[in-house]
């Protein structure tokens, strides 16, 4: 059994932290607090609050009358902090009652702030703003381990998250210590994953020799079976070309261990320089265009290496480069039927392995597949008659300007152009201007595959392999160096000795290699690796903790040598040095991790992944719109991150996120937004902004789709989303007895009413206090459907809608444009997007929920009300360092 001493160490660490917290003491002067409560707060509550939060009625289970609250109680403190927030922002008292004057309100707000800040400071005696200790999120843990073990493969990203317990779902950031608890399941699965990864890095000796096949177009074109069956019997072949068998390089043809099968549902081009893969959106329902490779022998371990020499051929006017997909699949029956909706094979299970963008120039596209880490179900794959490893290559091009037609429409088009005749009247293959198959037409982005090289049991040279890169010769000094990389700090002899002892003891019992794997696994699951600490009583550890938080937050990785050196030397404590280091990290390509993770959590973009809506165009028989939707779905998830990354790189102001000077789009998203921009590949900045996309984050389809939850009447969902995510206002959970609009729609009379009438009835039946700030916001996105697409009338013009509403503080707006202009106004009593965004960045970077103790810090970070984004992110970390130890 593996040594679980690391788990015990984690338990001891938390016991120490709990004991330290229990020793915190100190209270504000209770008599002064009680006197101020009686003088200012109690009268205010009596005049403005008790009708909803008194002895007879408690909206939201909140009661405010009675004795002075005990702010030392965390739950009470949180409740009164919420009270402070809704009073300060103008959300409370309700708008139908007289509003309190500033001379009445300010003493109450000051009292709540002082009491909450004092109690919070005492509860965090470690430094007045400490971030505590938290474990890494599962995504952070996976990324760190990939870097430590050099688990980076050419054009393949193993999905390691599926091996770990899922992190909790939240309407807020999850990178917080009170959310990321270490459960037994997470401990066990972390250790299991560490052992699995180390078996890949340090495998058992294997005598299996590498086997390589090199397949060229002429080999397929000249194969007797291919020539006899592929075209002579073309009208009867509905799914694939025949099965062709090829021997491995340098092996005898009759060697059963070195045979690979090829099924080519395509044909070489005119000069036989390559196999032509047309985009499958052009493939007719009962035909197929792709290449299948099958290695018949059961194989479950080791690395498979595929090198595809290919180039793209684009029709005139096309700018989108094609994507070549590589998948593995399983078919339980014996009939290889590949027709059907794009991305799905009936009676088949597909495991996606890689997506490759094919450039115009001939390029070797390499894919490395570590079989032990893929999602392939080898038990299923090897259970049937046709066992072995199946690989499928398809051209998944999504053209930007080519019309999408059903097969019947394609035939009519060819007939109209004089390019279609029945089989009996067709000229020989290769006659210029004629097409034998629908998938032979050339107005889609084609992929020309010039050669395929497949290697099973691929190995790196011994002096360059992964094990040597990770741990060298695995001597004591190298084990210690591995621990220093994993823990992000120098490791003393006394700290590494238990692990060396573990290795020596286990080597006698189970052997040298398993003992080494167990030792490295113990280092990986040590709390020093899986947790971010905030030790402020030791200057050296304080800077080491800061360096790790910087690396995890900005890169999702361990500190590099420069960052570790600055922490070890103490220079990281100098504001100028820290600012310079953050600028360096932001200029690194790994910084994309920050914008990806921040936007994913901030905007809840994971919700888009499970949506199945037809966003681009109505479904077609050939499922071409599905292909566009697949690309568009990914684009909607990525756009906010790409946009924020561009803004940070250019150090634009926070207001740019609401009133941008440009967008960042790729080809599918540009088409979806109606932007006539030439985007060859990937993402690029576009200055042309459509009239309905002028408001940055607030007019992007991704956030709108995530907020709408695929509901047509999504105003409540949208209002709640805006409040919680874009304004940073805690909404609360509705009572279980409250019916949804979807439930009420079962009443035919109710369903015929307008959305605004429905919401009014819904409010009257439930909680008006909450809905008066939720519902008016939800109408701001009324011009967009549930997938973030602008709603249009039958004549193609934007549908006329009523998108008027009110901000939580009561200010009315006529439409989305007016709302966004209000959000950029700065006022202590008004909703302000810049302030909400500063709070979001600080909360994410500090890894905890903000409290009233942090409000003055937020004021300083906000500055003149519109800070520059890169400067803001830098200031957040500098401010955190300056507050350590106070």
């Amino acid at each position: 059994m593996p040594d679980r001493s690391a788990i015990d160490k984690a338990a001891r660490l938390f016991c120490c932290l709990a004991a330290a917290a229990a020793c915190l003491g100190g209270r504000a002067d209770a008599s002064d607090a009680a006197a101020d409560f009686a003088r200012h707060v109690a009268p205010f509550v009596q005049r403005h609050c008790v009708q909803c939060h008194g002895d007879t009625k408690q909206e939201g289970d909140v009661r405010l009358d009675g004795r002075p609250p005990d702010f030392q109680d965390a739950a009470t403190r949180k409740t009164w902090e919420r009270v402070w927030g809704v009073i300060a922002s103008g959300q409370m008292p309700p708008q139908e009652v007289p509003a309190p004057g500033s001379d009445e309100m300010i003493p109450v707000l000051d009292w709540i702030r002082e009491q909450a800040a004092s109690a919070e400071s005492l509860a965090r005696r470690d430094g007045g703003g400490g971030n505590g200790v938290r474990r890494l999120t599962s995504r952070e843990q996976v990324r760190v381990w990939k870097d430590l073990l050099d688990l980076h493969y050419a054009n393949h990203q193993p999905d390691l998250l599926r091996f770990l317990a899922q992190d909790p779902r939240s309407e807020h950031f999850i990178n917080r210590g009170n959310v990321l608890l270490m459960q037994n399941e997470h401990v066990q699965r972390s250790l299991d994953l560490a052992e699995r990864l180390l078996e890949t890095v340090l495998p058992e000796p294997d005598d299996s020799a590498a086997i390589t096949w090199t397949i060229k177009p002429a080999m397929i074109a000249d194969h007797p079976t291919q020539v006899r069956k592929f075209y002579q019997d073309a009208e009867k072949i509905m799914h694939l070309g025949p099965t062709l068998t090829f021997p491995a390089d340098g092996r005898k043809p009759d060697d059963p261990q070195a045979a690979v099968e090829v099924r080519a549902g395509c044909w070489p081009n005119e000069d036989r320089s390559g196999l032509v893969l047309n985009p499958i959106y052009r493939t007719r329902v009962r035909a197929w265009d792709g290449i299948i490779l099958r290695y018949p022998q059961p194989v479950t371990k080791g690395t498979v290496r595929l090198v595809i020499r290919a180039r793209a051929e684009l029709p005139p006017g096309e700018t989108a480069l094609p994507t070549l997909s590589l998948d593995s699949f399983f078919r339980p029956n014996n009939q290889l039927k590949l027709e059907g909706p794009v991305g799905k094979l009936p009676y088949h299970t597909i495991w996606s392995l890689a997506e490759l963008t094919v450039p115009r120039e001939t390029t070797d596209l390499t894919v490395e597949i570590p079989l032990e880490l893929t999602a392939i179900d080898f038990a299923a794959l090897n259970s049937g008659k046709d066992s072995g490893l199946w690989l499928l290559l398809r051209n998944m091009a999504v053209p930007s300007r080519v019309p999408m037609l059903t097969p019947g429409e394609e035939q009519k088009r060819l007939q109209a152009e004089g390019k279609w005749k029945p089989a009996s009247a067709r000229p020989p293959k290769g006659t210029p201007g004629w097409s034998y198959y629908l998938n032979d037409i050339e107005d889609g982005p084609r992929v020309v595959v010039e050669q395929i090289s497949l290697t099973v049991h691929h190995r790196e040279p011994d002096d360059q392999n992964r094990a040597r890169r990770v741990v060298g010769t695995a001597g004591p000094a190298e084990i210690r160096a591995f621990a220093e990389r994993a823990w992000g700090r120098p490791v003393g002899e006394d700290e590494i000795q238990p692990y060396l002892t573990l290795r020596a003891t286990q080597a006698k019992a189970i052997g040298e290699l398993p003992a080494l794997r167990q030792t490295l696994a113990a280092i990986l699951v040590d709390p020093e690796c899986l947790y971010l600490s905030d030790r402020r009583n030791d200057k050296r550890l304080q800077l080491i903790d800061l360096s790790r938080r910087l690396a995890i937050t900005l890169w999702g990785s361990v500190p590099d040598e420069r960052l570790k050196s600055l922490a070890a030397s103490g220079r990281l404590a100098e504001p100028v040095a820290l600012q310079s280091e953050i600028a360096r990290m932001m200029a690194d390509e790994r910084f994309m991790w920050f914008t990806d993770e921040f936007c994913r959590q901030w905007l809840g973009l994971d919700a888009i992944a499970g949506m199945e809506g037809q966003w681009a165009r109505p479904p077609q028989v050939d499922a071409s719109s599905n292909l566009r939707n697949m690309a568009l779905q990914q684009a909607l998830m990525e756009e906010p991150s790409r946009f924020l990354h561009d803004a940070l790189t250019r150090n634009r102001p926070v207001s740019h996120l609401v009133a941008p000077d440009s967008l960042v789009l790729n080809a599918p998203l540009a088409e979806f937004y109606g932007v006539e921009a030439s985007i060859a590949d990937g993402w690029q900045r576009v200055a042309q902004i459509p009239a309905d996309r002028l408001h940055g984050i607030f007019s992007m389809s991704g956030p709108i789709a995530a907020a709408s939850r695929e509901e047509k009447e999504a105003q409540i969902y949208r209002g709640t989303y805006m409040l919680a995510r874009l304004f940073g206002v805690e909404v609360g959970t509705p009572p279980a007895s409250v019916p949804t609009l979807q439930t009420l729609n079962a009443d035919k009379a109710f369903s015929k009413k307008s959305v605004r009438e429905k919401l009014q009835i819904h409010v009257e039946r439930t909680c008006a206090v909450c809905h008066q700030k939720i519902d008016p916001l939800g109408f701001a996105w009324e011009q967009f459907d549930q997938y973030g697409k602008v709603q249009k009338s039958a004549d193609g013009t934007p549908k006329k809608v009523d998108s008027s509403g009110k901000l939580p503080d009561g200010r009315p707006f006529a439409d989305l444009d007016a709302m966004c202009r209000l959000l950029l106004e700065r006022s202590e009593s008004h909703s302000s997007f810049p302030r909400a965004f500063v709070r979001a960045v600080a909360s994410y970077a500090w890894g905890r929920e903000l409290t009233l103790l942090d409000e003055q810090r937020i004021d300083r970070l906000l500055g003149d009300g519109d800070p520059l984004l890169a400067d803001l992110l830098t200031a957040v970390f500098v401010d955190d360092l300056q507050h350590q130890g106070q």
Side-chain angles (χ1 to χ4, degrees), residues 59-241:
E59 292 282 2
D61 294 327
V62 174
R63 181 173 179 176
L64 302 179
D65 63 331
R67 300 171 59 186
D70 179 12
F71 279 84
Q72 301 301 320
D73 177 71
T76 300
R77 186 166 66 247
K78 183 175 179 62
T79 296
W80 280 85
E81 286 184 345
R82 289 172 56 194
V83 171
W84 184 94
V86 296
I87 294 175
S89 62
Q91 299 174 53
M92 293 291 171
Q95 296 167 18
E96 59 269 17
V97 302
S102 59
D103 57 339
E104 183 183 10
M105 189 164 50
I106 290 175
V108 175
L109 294 175
D110 288 345
W111 184 86
I112 297 174
R113 186 205 293 264
E114 290 170 3
Q115 299 305 309
S118 177
E120 182 73 17
S121 182
L122 289 171
R124 296 201 315 235
R125 181 69 65 83
D126 62 332
N131 305 313
V133 59
R134 75 162 176 90
R135 72 166 172 85
L136 303 184
T137 67
S138 293
R139 292 169 64 90
E140 290 169 343
Q141 179 180 337
V142 161
R143 189 170 168 102
V144 165
W145 282 8
K146 280 184 177 180
D147 284 353
L148 288 171
L149 299 177
D150 195 17
L151 293 171
H152 301 288
Y153 297 90
N155 290 308
H156 177 72
Q157 293 290 337
D159 179 17
L160 304 184
L161 280 174
R162 63 194 176 89
F163 295 109
L164 292 177
Q166 288 188 349
D167 289 330
R169 294 176 180 264
S170 174
E171 293 296 318
H172 305 284
F173 297 114
I174 65 168
N175 63 339
R176 298 172 174 177
N178 64 329
V179 174
L180 293 170
L181 304 178
M182 179 65 89
Q183 307 289 347
N184 288 337
E185 180 187 13
H186 195 92
V187 173
Q188 180 61 55
R189 295 182 69 169
S190 292
L191 190 54
D192 291 345
L193 176 57
E195 292 169 350
R196 176 186 288 269
L197 298 181
L198 286 162
E199 286 174 0
T200 302
V201 175
L202 301 166
E204 295 289 343
D206 187 358
D207 296 331
S208 301
I211 310 173
T212 299
W213 295 264
T214 302
I215 309 298
K216 298 182 179 181
M219 296 169 63
I220 293 176
D222 295 339
H223 197 289
T225 305
Q226 180 86 344
V227 172
R228 183 175 69 253
K229 290 186 177 180
F230 192 85
Y231 276 111
Q232 291 179 1
D233 201 18
E235 294 302 318
K236 296 181 181 179
I237 296 176
M238 295 301 174
H239 312 301
L240 282 178

Side-chain angles (χ1 to χ4, degrees), residues 48 61 64 78 128 193 204 276 278 307 365 428 481 484 522 575 600 621 636 662 700 750 752 784 869:
H48 302 288
D61 294 327
L64 302 179
K78 183 175 179 62
L193 176 57
E204 295 289 343
V276 177
N278 287 291
V307 181
L365 305 169
E484 290 183 340
R600 188 183 68 84
V621 175
L636 295 191
S662 58
M700 290 181 182
F750 181 86
K752 293 179 180 179
F784 302 99
L869 286 164

Side-chain angles (χ1 to χ4, degrees), residues 414-683:
L414 292 173
Q415 289 172 336
E417 296 176 2
K419 296 181 180 180
W420 178 272
K421 288 187 178 182
S424 59
R426 291 177 183 171
K429 173 67 180 178
T431 301
W434 292 90
S435 297
Y436 259 73
Y437 297 105
L438 291 173
N439 60 355
D440 283 338
I441 60 176
E442 299 180 357
D443 56 358
R446 308 196 309 173
V447 174
V448 179
V449 179
E450 299 183 2
Q451 179 177 294
I452 300 176
S453 175
L454 171 67
T455 303
V456 179
H457 303 301
H458 169 71
R459 288 187 181 83
E460 298 171 303
D462 289 341
D463 59 344
Q464 302 174 17
N465 65 24
R466 184 167 283 101
R468 187 170 290 276
R469 295 197 301 269
V470 169
V471 77
T473 58
E478 289 162 315
I479 299 296
R480 182 176 175 180
F482 178 80
E484 290 183 340
R485 291 196 303 276
W487 300 349
R489 63 173 178 82
V491 176
E493 288 286 350
D494 57 330
E495 293 180 287
I496 200 62
Q497 190 56 49
Y499 295 94
L500 300 179
T501 301
L502 167 67
R503 179 185 180 186
T505 303
Q506 291 293 88
K508 296 177 182 178
I510 59 176
E512 287 288 346
L513 190 58
L516 175 59
R517 289 199 291 255
Q518 284 194 8
T519 302
L520 299 180
I523 291 173
L524 289 176
V525 299
D526 190 288
E528 293 284 348
C529 182
L530 291 186
Y531 284 83
L532 288 178
S533 300
D534 196 10
R535 295 165 288 196
R536 306 194 169 204
N537 57 346
D538 183 314
K539 187 68 173 179
R540 184 180 66 90
L541 294 178
Q542 172 190 4
L543 293 180
I544 287 171
D545 292 342
L546 175 60
S547 69
R548 289 198 71 220
R549 288 204 310 278
L550 282 172
I552 291 293
T553 305
L554 300 182
W555 287 349
S557 187
V558 293
D560 62 5
E561 291 303 319
R562 176 185 170 90
L563 186 55
K564 286 194 296 185
S565 174
L566 287 172
S569 67
R571 288 193 56 212
L572 199 59
E574 302 170 7
V576 173
L578 178 57
Q579 292 171 11
S580 175
E581 190 62 8
I582 293 172
R584 177 183 75 90
M585 298 179 74
M586 291 172 62
D588 192 285
E589 63 180 9
R590 288 172 287 183
F591 180 63
M592 183 60 71
W593 162 268
F594 170 81
T595 55
D596 284 347
E597 277 299 286
F598 175 78
C599 289
R600 188 183 68 84
Q601 294 186 35
W602 177 42
L603 300 174
L605 299 175
D606 283 346
I608 300 174
M611 295 180 182
E612 299 177 353
Q614 298 293 316
W615 300 335
R617 302 181 186 216
Q620 303 284 352
V621 175
D622 65 349
S624 54
S625 62
N626 288 345
L627 253 185
R628 290 186 180 236
N629 289 346
M630 290 165 59
L632 181 60
Q633 190 176 47
Q634 186 63 35
L636 295 191
M637 295 177 67
E638 289 186 33
E639 184 191 8
S641 172
R642 301 283 180 168
F643 175 70
L644 179 58
H645 188 273
D646 175 75
L648 277 161
T649 301
R650 296 193 290 143
N651 202 17
R652 303 293 295 145
V654 171
S655 58
H656 175 82
L657 303 182
V658 180
D661 59 17
S662 58
L663 299 179
V664 180
L665 306 175
N666 64 0
L669 201 56
E671 181 186 12
F672 186 66
Y673 285 170
V675 176
E676 295 290 337
S678 178
I679 301 177
D681 182 42
W683 294 81

Side-chain angles (χ1 to χ4, degrees), residues 185-436:
E185 180 187 13
H186 195 92
V187 173
Q188 180 61 55
R189 295 182 69 169
S190 292
L191 190 54
D192 291 345
L193 176 57
E195 292 169 350
R196 176 186 288 269
L197 298 181
L198 286 162
E199 286 174 0
T200 302
V201 175
L202 301 166
E204 295 289 343
D206 187 358
D207 296 331
S208 301
I211 310 173
T212 299
W213 295 264
T214 302
I215 309 298
K216 298 182 179 181
M219 296 169 63
I220 293 176
D222 295 339
H223 197 289
T225 305
Q226 180 86 344
V227 172
R228 183 175 69 253
K229 290 186 177 180
F230 192 85
Y231 276 111
Q232 291 179 1
D233 201 18
E235 294 302 318
K236 296 181 181 179
I237 296 176
M238 295 301 174
H239 312 301
L240 282 178
T243 300
L244 313 177
T245 303
F246 297 97
D249 297 353
R251 300 291 186 97
K252 295 180 179 180
D254 58 353
D255 183 350
Q257 296 294 321
V260 70
E261 296 175 359
V262 178
R263 291 169 173 83
C266 55
W267 194 256
N269 58 358
E270 291 75 9
D271 61 2
R272 291 181 149 206
S273 63
L275 293 167
V276 177
L277 286 177
N278 287 291
I280 62 174
Y281 85 97
R282 285 294 188 193
T283 302
R284 60 178 172 173
V285 174
R286 303 199 69 190
W288 179 79
D289 212 347
I291 301 171
I292 287 180
L293 305 176
R294 177 191 173 219
Y295 178 56
Q297 305 302 321
V299 53
T300 60
K301 294 184 177 181
T303 301
V304 171
R305 190 170 190 263
L306 200 67
V307 181
I308 306 158
R309 184 167 297 166
R311 70 177 187 273
E313 291 184 351
L314 307 183
E318 181 58 67
T319 59
L321 294 173
T323 298
L324 192 62
S325 78
L326 173 66
D327 307 298
S328 183
F329 66 94
F330 161 64
R331 62 186 185 93
N333 58 11
N334 293 324
Q335 300 299 317
L336 191 58
K337 297 181 179 181
L338 295 173
E339 75 275 19
V342 171
K344 298 179 181 178
L345 306 181
Y347 316 110
H348 293 65
T349 300
I350 282 195
W351 300 283
S352 179
L353 300 177
E355 290 188 353
L356 309 166
T357 299
V358 184
R360 287 177 178 267
E361 303 78 19
T362 298
T363 306
D364 282 345
L365 305 169
T366 302
V367 183
E368 294 179 327
I369 310 162
L371 296 181
E372 297 98 322
L373 303 182
T374 66
I376 297 175
D377 182 354
F378 288 101
L381 202 63
N382 294 317
S383 62
K385 173 184 175 182
D386 298 312
S387 63
L389 179 65
W390 293 78
L391 300 175
L392 169 64
L393 278 174
R394 293 180 292 172
N395 177 2
M396 308 291 281
V398 181
S400 60
R401 294 293 178 265
V402 176
M404 297 189 302
L405 304 173
T406 66
E409 291 169 335
E410 289 282 17
Q411 180 173 336
K412 291 179 182 178
R413 183 178 72 85
L414 292 173
Q415 289 172 336
E417 296 176 2
K419 296 181 180 180
W420 178 272
K421 288 187 178 182
S424 59
R426 291 177 183 171
K429 173 67 180 178
T431 301
W434 292 90
S435 297
Y436 259 73

Side-chain angles (χ1 to χ4, degrees), residues 714-736:
Q715 288 78 7
I716 294 177
Y717 291 146
R718 290 174 171 183
T720 303
Y721 179 96
M722 279 195 184
L723 272 177
R725 296 188 181 276
L726 298 176
F727 295 165
V729 176
E730 188 170 338
V731 179
T733 303

Side-chain angles (χ1 to χ4, degrees), residues 785-798:
D785 68 12
Q786 65 267 39
Y787 304 112
K789 189 168 186 174
V790 176
Q791 299 192 69
K792 296 191 176 180
S793 302
D795 59 1
T797 59

